[in-house]
Amino acid sequence: MIDFRTPAPVPGSLDVTWNHGRRGEPQIQTHVYDEHTVILRQSKRLNYEAPFMFLLFGNERALLLDTGATESFPLRATVDTLIQDWLKINPRLTYELIVAHTHGHGDHVAADPQFADRPDTTTVAHEPAAVRTFFGFGDESTGAVPFDLGGRVLEVLGTPGHHQASITIYDPWTGLLLTGDTILPGRLYIEDQQAFRTTMDTLVAFAETHPVTHVLGCHVEMTRRPGRDYALGAQFQPRERALQMPPTVLTDIQRATAKAAGKPGIHPHPDFILYLEPGQREQRHLLRRARIRQLQEKFLNP
């Protein structure tokens, strides 16, 4: 049995250059953060969202967090290989897989059908009521509840605001805070300002009492230039900033959302851009930049 309690959090590697849309790159990239934690990214050549996914191993089961933006790409085969390789080093008579989601938007749930017939596998439906029931939140999708992978006990926090069923997962083993689309280096789409502000208060308070090493969202949309994002639909991001964000970003976003309260629209900051209850004006802005970027990429990507 692996001891996931001491010493923790353990160091992991984020020394990786993520595939960013160059022609010929694989449809899915994997990076071993540590021997029990894998980060995956779908190629921007396959879908511009290029979401990140996370595979966490415990003694009794593994958790796959999110399934990507398209149904057809080799996620199931990649996950099966990763599990088989882990089991060669850590043999078990039986081993389960839980497929869950940071939230229910299409670019995070599209490949769920790949796991429908997989033995010893549970796929958590992404509707709010199903998420509440599976994780045991009770009547509200808020608060924090434990989820045990077999000695590796995660903390699952209900964090609505971007999406009603958004969750954030804290892993004491690594200290990673997996925030989905709630917090990421890019555009933070906030559909419910009050719920999002409450979420930020929750996350800031949580980080004050738990050792958070990195905040990892599910997309990279910012360039290396502070305050500058890639256009919506960009499929080539050769100068994107790193995925990981420091825990201090929680307070930065908490303050930024409080300052922008009651002011729908676009609010840029060095490491993120708030889109508070975006309307038609903001949508037109995104689409206009997207069309320009599509023309540029015909010449930028060799």
Side-chain angles (χ1 to χ4, degrees):
M1 298 291 287
I2 301 163
D3 180 5
F4 285 105
R5 298 181 183 273
T6 56
V10 298
S13 169
L14 284 168
D15 183 15
V16 55
T17 299
W18 293 108
N19 291 346
H20 52 255
R22 187 174 297 276
R23 289 193 177 101
E25 71 183 27
Q27 294 184 8
I28 187 170
Q29 178 184 4
T30 62
H31 172 70
V32 176
Y33 179 82
D34 68 36
E35 59 184 329
H36 309 300
T37 311
V38 182
I39 307 173
L40 306 93
R41 190 188 196 183
Q42 193 171 15
S43 171
K44 291 191 74 70
R45 297 296 301 178
L46 194 61
N47 186 282
Y48 74 87
E49 295 283 6
F52 289 84
M53 296 150 282
F54 304 90
L55 183 62
L56 311 180
F57 292 94
N59 281 306
E60 298 172 5
R61 61 190 63 86
L63 171 69
L64 174 64
L65 190 60
D66 288 346
T67 63
T70 61
E71 181 176 346
S72 180
F73 75 113
L75 178 62
R76 162 77 181 271
T78 301
V79 169
D80 283 349
T81 297
L82 289 167
I83 293 175
Q84 290 166 9
D85 290 345
W86 188 86
L87 289 173
K88 289 176 183 177
I89 301 171
N90 307 279
R92 302 288 191 274
L93 291 177
T94 60
Y95 200 69
E96 301 175 31
L97 174 66
I98 307 297
V99 180
H101 315 91
T102 57
H103 62 292
H105 286 155
D107 55 319
H108 298 263
V109 306
D112 281 11
Q114 292 188 25
F115 298 89
D117 61 349
R118 189 183 187 279
D120 301 315
T121 299
T122 299
T123 299
V124 183
H126 46 80
E127 292 77 17
V131 174
R132 287 196 299 268
T133 299
F134 183 82
F135 288 110
F137 280 117
D139 295 334
E140 300 292 335
S141 297
T142 57
V145 294
F147 186 68
D148 192 355
L149 298 179
R152 188 176 188 174
V153 184
L154 310 175
E155 291 282 340
V156 183
L157 296 89
T159 50
H162 171 73
H163 185 275
Q164 188 178 356
S166 290
I167 61 171
T168 291
I169 290 184
Y170 174 70
D171 174 29
W173 167 250
T174 59
L176 297 177
L177 192 67
L178 307 178
T179 53
D181 285 5
T182 298
I183 300 172
L184 53 82
R187 296 178 289 274
L188 307 184
Y189 299 109
I190 301 169
E191 66 175 24
D192 184 330
Q193 287 196 49
Q194 186 55 55
F196 191 86
R197 289 185 63 187
T198 300
T199 281
M200 292 315 306
D201 292 344
T202 298
L203 291 176
V204 168
F206 185 88
E208 289 174 349
T209 57
H210 297 76
V212 176
T213 54
H214 304 285
V215 177
L216 301 184
C218 283
H219 304 279
V220 175
E221 297 169 344
M222 301 301 287
T223 70
R224 296 175 194 168
R225 176 182 169 187
R228 183 66 175 178
D229 61 330
Y230 285 96
L232 179 71
Q235 291 187 293
F236 185 51
Q237 296 185 176
R239 297 178 182 85
E240 65 182 20
R241 62 145 289 166
L243 168 66
Q244 62 270 24
M245 305 179 85
T248 53
V249 76
L250 302 173
T251 303
D252 293 341
I253 296 174
Q254 180 193 43
R255 292 172 177 170
T257 51
K259 183 177 181 179
K263 302 174 184 176
I266 304 172
H267 302 266
H269 294 268
D271 295 316
F272 56 88
I273 301 174
L274 301 181
Y275 275 71
L276 295 185
E277 299 176 354
Q280 292 184 355
R281 178 182 177 183
E282 289 75 29
Q283 293 173 12
R284 287 196 297 268
H285 170 77
L286 287 169
L287 292 173
R288 183 167 58 251
R289 288 188 61 205
R291 285 192 287 269
I292 294 172
R293 181 67 184 181
Q294 287 172 357
L295 293 173
Q296 292 173 333
E297 285 187 345
K298 292 182 179 180
F299 303 97
L300 287 174
N301 193 352

